[in-house]
Amino acid sequence: MIRIAVCAPSAPILPEDADRVHALAAAEFPNVELHIHPQSFAVDGHFAGSDAQRLDALVECANDPTFDAVWFARGGYGACRIAEDAVRRFDRNARNKTWLGYSDAGYLLGALYRERIGHPVHAPMLACMRREGGDEAARRALRFLNGDRSGIEPSVGDRPTVAFNLMTLAMLCGTPLMPGLAGHVVMVEEVSEHLYAIDRLFFHLTAHLGGVAGLRLGRVSDVPQNDREFGATAEQIARHWCERHAIAYLGSADIGHDAANKIVPFGLAAAPQPQ
């Protein structure tokens, strides 16, 4: 039996989100037990409860020895406000877990990877059930926890790899949460940012990626219309800044803010997962 704890370090989910994923798991994954922390439904302004509530729930899930994995409920914003305090409070039980999420959860995935706590994984979250095709996104995450590797991003190979939202990774740079990425393939994706903002983010990020094995660009989706054309595509922007910093541009990655978002285990894909 695989026991999965769900909590919301950022924004909340709705009871119907939980009902839907419970039904899917019961019908298709009889060896999975989902335990959704009540904090996942709390609301405090933008957040899933206060910083203290979100921190306590995360630490409770992390340090419970009966859980094999922690699945972040949703992104949004808020994980960076509690990440440093959280990793300081994690005990040895946190080191045995697989951690799944993306987007704003990347602050925690980066901190976990930096501190070598468990097995961080870029993967669909519970709230992805709301998206068109979201059931399949949830299945991809649950299958991965069952040892099915078919949902892993196709280019993942024998080099250590990480995947982040572009904004999240750019904000991590220079903070105590930023992991060392020398020798890694770095994948990034973005949503709902103007192309000039994409350019600005790559300006900052690539200055901090010295020694990486290369960069892959995932989907850059829902780009807002500006009052003038930027004059370059997201790929051209990525190539420009990679060239400026002698970073190998390795092409596309099958990740993004959508139901097709593929799985990227941090480090080497052969890292053990719950069985």
Side-chain angles (χ1 to χ4, degrees):
M1 184 64 70
I2 299 171
R3 302 185 78 246
I4 304 170
V6 177
C7 62
S10 305
I13 57 172
L14 300 171
E16 48 263 43
D17 299 327
D19 292 343
R20 188 171 172 183
V21 77
H22 270 305
L24 184 148
E28 302 182 26
F29 298 90
N31 66 324
V32 166
E33 282 187 14
L34 275 174
H35 297 265
I36 300 178
H37 197 287
Q39 170 272 327
S40 302
F41 311 110
V43 177
D44 185 349
H46 172 89
F47 306 107
S50 67
D51 286 356
Q53 285 176 293
R54 300 195 322 280
L55 174 61
D56 288 346
L58 176 59
V59 172
E60 181 182 334
C61 292
N63 293 347
D64 188 326
T66 68
F67 292 130
D68 302 295
V70 176
W71 194 17
F72 298 127
R74 184 182 172 189
Y77 174 69
C80 65
R81 295 167 62 101
I82 64 172
E84 287 185 64
D85 291 335
V87 295
R88 282 196 290 265
R89 288 174 55 184
F90 289 170
D91 66 20
R92 57 185 175 80
N93 293 301
R95 299 185 178 276
N96 300 321
K97 290 177 171 57
T98 300
W99 304 78
L100 299 94
Y102 77 108
S103 188
D104 194 65
Y107 292 108
L108 284 163
L109 297 179
L112 290 162
Y113 194 53
R114 175 189 173 103
E115 301 300 327
R116 301 182 181 181
I117 297 174
H119 308 292
V121 179
H122 167 104
M125 293 179 286
L126 186 151
C128 292
M129 298 281 287
R130 300 178 185 178
R131 302 182 188 278
E132 182 178 355
D135 286 12
E136 186 56 36
R139 288 187 185 101
R140 190 176 305 118
L142 294 173
R143 286 171 182 152
F144 177 78
L145 289 173
N146 276 273
D148 184 337
R149 320 300 283 175
S150 63
I152 291 180
E153 202 283 333
S155 70
V156 170
D158 58 0
R159 290 184 292 187
T161 304
V162 295
F164 288 93
N165 170 260
L166 174 60
M167 175 71 78
T168 301
L169 184 55
M171 294 299 101
L172 277 170
C173 292
T175 74
L177 303 176
M178 179 68 175
L181 298 179
H184 287 65
V185 173
V186 178
M187 300 182 181
V188 292
E189 53 80 24
E190 192 50 85
V191 64
S192 300
E193 293 288 348
H194 288 88
L195 287 173
Y196 66 78
I198 300 296
D199 190 75
R200 184 165 56 209
L201 290 168
F202 269 114
F203 154 73
H204 178 70
L205 173 63
T206 52
H208 290 80
L209 292 184
V212 299
L215 182 139
R216 287 187 177 274
L217 182 64
R219 287 178 286 283
V220 177
S221 57
D222 296 334
V223 176
Q225 186 68 40
N226 195 25
D227 61 354
R228 67 188 71 186
E229 292 295 325
F230 183 72
T233 66
E235 181 179 358
Q236 288 170 334
I237 292 168
R239 286 181 177 275
H240 169 82
W241 289 106
C242 283
E243 183 177 354
R244 284 280 295 269
H245 290 278
I247 297 168
Y249 181 77
L250 302 176
S252 64
D254 194 4
I255 61 171
H257 267 70
D258 51 47
N261 182 33
K262 295 299 191 297
I263 289 170
V264 181
F266 279 37
L268 295 172
Q273 308 301 333
Q275 299 293 323

